[in-house]
Amino acid sequence: MTLEAVLSALAACKVEPKGSLAHDATTIDPASWTSALERAPSHDASTPSAYKLTKTLVFKPGKPKTDEWTPVMVIAREETNTRALKTFCGQLGLSDLRLADDKHIEGKYGAQKNSVSALSLNEDRINISVVVLDSTIASSDEIFAVKAASSEGTVFLAGRDIHAYLQSLDKSSQKLHVVDFAKLAEEEAASAAASSSHPAPIAKAAAPTKKTDARIEDAHQLAIGVKKEVDFSTWYTNVLVKSEMLDYYNVSGCYILKPWSYSIWETIQRWFDNEIKELGVENSYFPMFVSSKVLEREKDHIEGFAPEVAWVTRAGSSELEEPIAIRPTSETVMYPYYAKWIQSHRDFPLKLNQWNSVVRWEFKTPQPFLRTREFLWQEGHTAFLTKDEADVEVRQILDLYRRVYEELLAVPVVPGIKSEKEKFAGGLYTTTVEGFIPTTGRGIQGATSHCLGQNFSKMFDISVEDPNATAKGERLYAWQNSWGLSTRTIGVMVMVHGDNQGLVLPPRVANIQVVIVPCGVNEKTRQKVYDACDEVAKQLKKVGIRAKADLRDTYLPGWKFNYWEQKGVPVRLEIGPKDIEKKQAIVARRDNSEKSTISVENLKSDIPSLLERIQADMFTRAKEVFDQRLIEVTKWEDVVPTLDNKCVAVIPWCEVEACEDDIKERSGRSAEQTDERAPSAGAKSLAIPFDQSRWPAIEPGKTKCPACGGDAKRWTMFGRSY
Amino acid sequence: MTLEAVLSALAACKVEPKGSLAHDATTIDPASWTSALERAPSHDASTPSAYKLTKTLVFKPGKPKTDEWTPVMVIAREETNTRALKTFCGQLGLSDLRLADDKHIEGKYGAQKNSVSALSLNEDRINISVVVLDSTIASSDEIFAVKAASSEGTVFLAGRDIHAYLQSLDKSSQKLHVVDFAKLAEEEAASAAASSSHPAPIAKAAAPTKKTDARIEDAHQLAIGVKKEVDFSTWYTNVLVKSEMLDYYNVSGCYILKPWSYSIWETIQRWFDNEIKELGVENSYFPMFVSSKVLEREKDHIEGFAPEVAWVTRAGSSELEEPIAIRPTSETVMYPYYAKWIQSHRDFPLKLNQWNSVVRWEFKTPQPFLRTREFLWQEGHTAFLTKDEADVEVRQILDLYRRVYEELLAVPVVPGIKSEKEKFAGGLYTTTVEGFIPTTGRGIQGATSHCLGQNFSKMFDISVEDPNATAKGERLYAWQNSWGLSTRTIGVMVMVHGDNQGLVLPPRVANIQVVIVPCGVNEKTRQKVYDACDEVAKQLKKVGIRAKADLRDTYLPGWKFNYWEQKGVPVRLEIGPKDIEKKQAIVARRDNSEKSTISVENLKSDIPSLLERIQADMFTRAKEVFDQRLIEVTKWEDVVPTLDNKCVAVIPWCEVEACEDDIKERSGRSAEQTDERAPSAGAKSLAIPFDQSRWPAIEPGKTKCPACGGDAKRWTMFGRSY
């Protein structure tokens, strides 16, 4: 690549170099590079006064099975000791790494080792790589020399700009890893020390010691890689991948739901499906395809979805006569048939639901569970003769959604109504259960239950003759609702409860609630301990507990502790030879790390109540946090500081749409950007809570909207959001 | 339209007119037409010696709500009395029909009433119409005069050719109806007579009489419209629509699964899902999209699917850089990740399943449940270290499929292995449960469980290091299976059990197993009888029976009998005032129409056992038929007569692929085409049954293949098929 090409690539990403230089060819030897830089004709004019050299190392697996091996590119300060890379890569499942030779580097990056650098990357190349950036570069304002994808050119970039540039290339947000090599090396050393003093499975029996626990904690931090409070986005995706909930997929914005997350969805499905069947809702399945004519029938509605609709235009080798859309939601798929099926008032109510996937081809950065191009959900579509019936159902369903969050996922939500600006396109009004992610201070829409009014029924002619009409031929139009709950639930749960050890699962949705780990066995005691573990699992299963004895021979107890903690299993039982003698087990709670001893005799009653206690505690803790972050704000100047303080501002609002636009614009302008992946730093209205009683009564004509000074109507939650 | 255009449209459909004629403009008056024909200059040369006039009538709803009303076009002999059309259309949900005026006809068919005819139709126009063809034309070899979509031209066509032409236009196979007006009028008269003697709900109590039953039967035949034995395809779709299992959808080849069929799918899902979880299979969800590169990795496999793959090329208004396929099945979606997840022999077995929909854009005539462009299924994908384990699982799953058919759906199947020609593209061998539709004598593949061998694992590198290898680096490739069961199950069940009254549901999958109908009530007794019905429903629900009391005031008992019989509910209980006095109910079986009296006291024990008896009887009857139609054939000259006799020929087969091609070709050539919608009249191998013991032992080198004279290997089922 030429220096010009490199500079224009940087410009395209709005990264401004601090200088650039053409020079004689150099090698990977830093002395050679320094000398070439200093001897360059325009050195003085084009070079910053101070800069640090970088190095770029490319690794490959020892014996790649095919050409499709994943290269690991390390970009570090010249002086950084990158030895701990091995540990880091091991956690990514990459082992046996060797320095790649010129042929291999050239094959992947079109440059040889003398030339290759961060600037050899582009979107495609980063996509097939693991890129590891030295954290002392990523967070630094110092200036670094980077080879211009050539041994004959150098670009000077601020550390933060190198980071920003790589982030802009890494569309999937999964290829770039910022690593603190020094810290990693330290932790590795501590871990190795602890490990050597830790009994191997064939060593004599020993209860887990304090030292063991320390080791486990360290190991966990290694595994998740980053701290929740420090780099929330990376933490989130790491937790999902490490806990085996999810894997990335080679179509951008699509993810694989592995059994560990899908089983949570199944639990939600079972519970919600039973509840709606009690309400008389029946399941059905409508096709995933919609003709463009039908899709575009309702104007407001389609305007809301059009930019994200995926179109099928070809089948086999034939072009379709008309492109066919994949449903982004099924209102327009279903309602022409509602019009056909509803012929008289006796055909009301019609209540159908389906469990399916929908496609919304988002162009914003995707985020697993929260913003994906295909996602799983249920969509209920009901039609009633009267508005009253529709109104009642909207709230019944919303309360079921609240219960999914609060009772199954232990996630507190605030039920409320959306502002006119935020309501469902084409509907009458939208109700929501609004969640909150404390770490980022952002609100998140949990699930919505819409009253569509008569807008769609008039559009699609879902009408009957008025049975009470005096004049013949008067028609009554259906009152309709639609309501949906998606796998987003799982993402919210992970964000709220997860910690630096990984996932924390509420017992009611955990596919394994109790894991039993044999500890401190030797060849003599092994079988006895294994049998005891197995028996405990059986006993627990008999009382309906989802228990599993982890009897794998090939892993140490400490490794198993890590593994199941990372996966968020609510309770761990440890059983060793001495525990058997004492008819006891050690019980460890995942949610608060408490450990205690429990009598084996009482397990069948104590464990179920412990699980319920954990469930309740998790909810209570999360609720306390959410409550503390709902801040009553009555002066405009307090709004942005409240948001910056990771809180939601609850203001007495005028409910005027222009005022909402204004709040968004003003709060966005002054706001500090805290999470670059989140869609917006401006605040929008999250919900107008149904329960207004927690705030002082609004005095009509007296209480004023702090944003515009108009008459306030209701207390409304404003916040940054997902 | 010009006469030329009409003739070329006919030619495109390979319909050969018996003559055509340009003449003076005519009106709808037959005398005017006859006269114009006779006065035409080339009359003698271009006109068949004998022909009949046709008439074309177009109807519209009295007050169409919008422009999108459905016109009904009736094509009949001039002399046919089409008065019974009203009854027929009522069954299609079209009421209040009036003759359309010129403006309306022109709007729909581009011709006025003097010109409009069958030849005004094309694919688009038939698609927005209901077309009713006089059965005395459809089945006739006589020649008919048809207006050439113009009042100044006439084409002469054989009755059968008119039928064939309309069928060729009717791609959805749902727009064209062949109606016997004379028979319909007769039935209508019979029904009206019976009806007038039947007690209205407010009339005095009376047990259903023999006459009532007769009426119901007649009414049913009307409702389904055609007899199963006479026009199986129309019967099938009518049953599906009338029973509210399914509705047609405006994207061709896609159908709406209404709750009445979807609940059957849910029952199958629940049962099968429990069973596979017992085997250690876990559910997951992989994206519906596949990149073309991944899809095309396995050559044989993709060759099998490529012509049917739907491609997304656009999102919103942006063209995608690369088209993305919608999965036709998920082997290539999943296996790159299996390669990633399986790193050591400890990662075996990997057993995942998903419940999803897949898309195969078939260009053959679609048929609900059997051949649709999107369908629901489960697909299991498992990977093992050894072939033995894979072999065992293939058969375990196949046996679960057998049990879904036999134990849930009461449909007998033959488990066996597919020939090399018929196996899954890219797999090692395919096992199948093979069903049979007695009415058409065709075999139908019920579900398949494939051993993929190591073909995919080598392609996608799903491999581990050999834990026992002496030389390092030797790799073991996974042995893989995939297996799928789809909503086709429901279609097979309908075809096997349905009768001329409609659907017949096996109790285990019926969403309502017992319907309770109050009979013979008057104003005084109504509440008492309704309460009794309600109480019976409650009692039955307590013992786990899915019971429903139909207490709708607006319908007569006879109407309710029809309604629930059409929907296939296994048991009907009738309760009237006298029954209450006697503490009894009348019980009617849907499967064999038997009626008896049952004591209310014993309902809670008698009904569950009755339902099990019905389930068993339905299976036994179907099994007897299938067994009788499996004909042992050892001479070639018996093969085609066996097929023509609606049987399956079981022959001692050589298992040579060329011989199978030859059998197909020879049997197709000589076969009589019995069902024009079925894909082929040639016989293919359906399955090599695992249980060979029902036929004489094959003597190696002695028993010869009747098709080619080669050495026979195993008894193999050959038949026409879906």
Side-chain angles (χ1 to χ4, degrees), chain B residues 221 303 501 522 531 564 580 615 658:
Chain B
Q221 285 178 8
E303 263 179 35
Q501 271 68 43
N522 58 24
D531 289 348
W564 294 109
I580 295 178
Q615 180 86 29

Side-chain angles (χ1 to χ4, degrees), chain A residues 65 247 249-250 257 266 277 283 285 288-289 309 311 313-314 316 337 340-341 374 461 554, chain B residues 65 247 249-250 257 266 277 283 285 288-289 309 311 313-314 316 337 340-341 346 374 461 475:
Chain A
K65 294 175 184 179
D247 211 334
Y249 186 69
N250 78 331
L257 301 196
E266 286 180 296
K277 279 181 178 155
N283 284 332
Y285 189 79
M288 69 156 86
F289 296 117
V309 170
W311 293 93
T313 64
R314 186 149 58 85
Y337 300 90
K340 182 177 164 195
W341 299 335
E374 181 192 5
D461 194 9
T554 40
Chain B
K65 293 174 182 180
D247 211 335
Y249 186 69
N250 79 330
L257 302 195
E266 285 180 296
K277 279 180 177 154
N283 285 332
Y285 188 78
M288 70 156 85
F289 296 117
V309 170
W311 293 94
T313 64
R314 187 150 58 86
Y337 300 90
K340 183 177 163 195
W341 299 335
R346 291 191 296 260
E374 181 192 4
D461 194 10
R475 301 201 68 81

Side-chain angles (χ1 to χ4, degrees), chain A residues 24-231:
Chain A
D24 290 343
T26 69
T27 69
I28 53 162
D29 179 3
S32 137
W33 192 7
T34 308
S35 141
L37 286 172
E38 288 174 356
R39 279 184 288 112
S42 57
H43 178 262
D44 292 349
S46 313
T47 313
S49 56
Y51 59 81
K52 304 271 181 185
L53 292 192
T54 57
K55 63 183 171 190
T56 303
L57 308 169
V58 178
F59 295 86
K60 70 180 242 304
K63 288 179 191 161
K65 294 175 184 179
T66 68
D67 271 344
E68 300 212 13
W69 54 275
T70 301
V72 176
M73 178 188 283
V74 177
I75 300 151
R77 285 173 191 255
E78 175 55 41
E79 67 269 26
T80 298
N81 184 333
T82 60
R83 207 180 41 201
L85 178 76
K86 194 181 156 195
T87 310
F88 176 75
C89 286
Q91 290 152 14
L92 297 182
L94 298 165
S95 56
D96 195 17
L97 289 181
R98 321 252 169 111
L99 271 174
D101 60 22
D102 269 340
K103 193 189 79 197
H104 287 119
I105 302 176
E106 173 100 50
K108 295 292 179 184
Y109 300 119
Q112 298 194 337
K113 64 174 176 292
N114 292 338
S115 319
V116 76
S117 81
L119 299 173
S120 305
L121 295 170
N122 55 27
E123 279 180 36
D124 290 338
R125 286 173 177 171
I126 204 165
N127 214 24
I128 54 122
S129 310
V130 167
V131 174
V132 176
L133 178 63
D134 187 344
S135 66
T136 67
I137 293 180
S139 57
S140 171
D141 289 320
E142 287 177 84
I143 293 166
F144 295 87
V146 182
K147 296 250 175 87
S150 148
S151 60
E152 304 179 343
T154 295
V155 177
F156 298 92
L157 291 165
R160 288 188 194 280
D161 287 343
I162 297 175
H163 188 201
Y165 178 64
L166 293 173
Q167 281 183 312
S168 74
L169 296 180
D170 183 16
K171 298 295 180 207
S172 72
S173 298
Q174 53 177 306
K175 301 306 182 180
L176 176 63
H177 304 264
V178 175
V179 168
D180 185 340
F181 287 101
K183 185 155 160 277
L184 201 56
E186 254 175 65
E187 287 169 340
E188 202 176 301
S191 164
S195 195
S196 64
S197 70
H198 184 74
I202 52 155
K204 286 222 175 103
T209 62
K210 190 67 200 152
K211 221 166 184 176
T212 318
D213 288 350
R215 186 186 72 86
I216 291 158
E217 228 174 285
D218 285 343
H220 272 303
Q221 285 178 7
L222 288 184
I224 300 305
V226 295
K227 288 191 171 164
K228 190 178 183 184
E229 318 75 63
V230 176
D231 181 353

Side-chain angles (χ1 to χ4, degrees), chain A residues 301-611:
Chain A
H301 181 68
I302 188 57
E303 263 181 34
F305 287 104
E308 299 173 358
V309 170
W311 293 93
V312 175
T313 64
R314 186 149 58 85
S317 52
S318 319
E319 295 295 322
L320 300 185
E321 281 186 26
E322 269 194 47
I324 292 177
I326 304 178
R327 62 181 163 216
T329 176
S330 300
E331 278 75 8
T332 59
V333 171
M334 294 167 112
Y335 298 166
Y337 300 90
Y338 279 40
K340 182 177 164 195
W341 299 335
I342 295 175
Q343 291 294 331
S344 113
H345 66 281
R346 292 191 296 260
D347 298 323
F348 287 115
L350 180 58
K351 303 184 185 186
L352 297 183
N353 177 64
Q354 60 186 6
W355 295 96
N356 57 347
S357 78
V358 289
V359 172
R360 299 179 188 174
W361 206 267
E362 301 257 10
F363 289 94
K364 293 179 197 162
T365 311
Q367 199 160 17
F369 294 118
L370 301 200
R371 195 185 306 121
T372 62
R373 285 179 170 173
E374 181 192 5
F375 60 86
L376 301 178
W377 76 347
Q378 60 65 223
E379 48 178 326
H381 295 266
T382 54
F384 300 91
L385 188 57
T386 66
K387 180 168 188 297
D388 284 353
E389 292 167 280
D391 286 337
V392 167
E393 194 214 46
V394 164
R395 294 292 291 271
Q396 280 175 325
I397 296 294
L398 193 74
D399 199 55
L400 294 179
Y401 289 159
R402 181 190 64 75
R403 292 176 62 196
V404 166
Y405 274 101
E406 299 199 336
E407 297 177 13
L408 298 183
L409 302 172
V411 168
V413 288
V414 174
I417 192 163
K418 287 279 182 188
S419 70
E420 280 299 299
K421 186 179 163 68
E422 295 293 329
K423 78 177 186 186
F424 182 67
L428 181 62
Y429 65 86
T430 290
T431 68
T432 176
V433 286
E434 209 63 23
F436 178 71
I437 308 300
T439 317
T440 57
R442 288 179 184 264
I444 185 157
Q445 181 175 299
T448 46
S449 176
H450 315 290
C451 180
L452 304 177
Q454 295 181 309
N455 187 20
F456 286 89
S457 66
K458 287 183 176 162
M459 209 61 65
F460 288 95
D461 194 9
I462 307 172
S463 67
V464 301
E465 216 167 79
D466 184 348
N468 304 315
T470 44
K472 250 213 150 180
E474 274 180 51
R475 299 201 71 80
L476 297 178
Y477 288 89
W479 289 89
Q480 293 183 270
N481 295 338
S482 72
W483 27 273
L485 176 86
S486 78
T487 39
R488 160 174 282 208
T489 43
I490 299 171
V492 176
M493 179 204 72
V494 171
M495 288 184 162
V496 168
H497 294 303
D499 63 21
N500 287 328
Q501 271 68 43
L503 204 59
V504 182
L505 290 179
R508 290 194 192 148
V509 298
N511 195 26
I512 297 176
Q513 298 172 307
V514 177
V515 65
I516 303 139
V517 179
C519 291
V521 299
N522 58 26
E523 275 172 72
K524 272 190 190 166
T525 56
R526 180 189 309 265
Q527 199 51 50
K528 194 174 157 191
V529 173
Y530 279 23
D531 288 348
C533 292
D534 215 27
E535 180 59 24
V536 165
K538 269 185 201 149
Q539 292 300 322
L540 289 175
K541 278 182 194 161
K542 273 191 191 159
V543 292
I545 303 295
R546 297 186 287 275
K548 180 188 173 74
D550 182 353
L551 305 182
R552 290 177 287 179
D553 258 348
T554 40
Y555 297 106
L556 293 170
W559 187 95
K560 291 180 186 175
F561 292 5
N562 293 356
Y563 179 78
W564 294 109
E565 286 188 0
Q566 203 160 276
K567 287 177 81 84
V569 169
V571 168
R572 178 180 72 237
L573 292 177
E574 305 165 11
I575 298 182
K578 280 187 189 153
D579 299 316
I580 295 178
E581 278 171 32
K582 294 185 191 165
K583 296 189 177 168
Q584 67 172 33
I586 312 281
V587 54
R589 280 174 67 155
R590 174 67 183 89
D591 65 318
N592 64 5
S593 306
E594 273 180 23
K595 285 181 87 161
S596 56
T597 310
I598 192 168
S599 147
V600 169
E601 273 179 15
N602 300 339
L603 278 176
K604 281 162 77 171
S605 60
D606 287 357
I607 293 291
S609 60
L610 174 63
L611 291 172

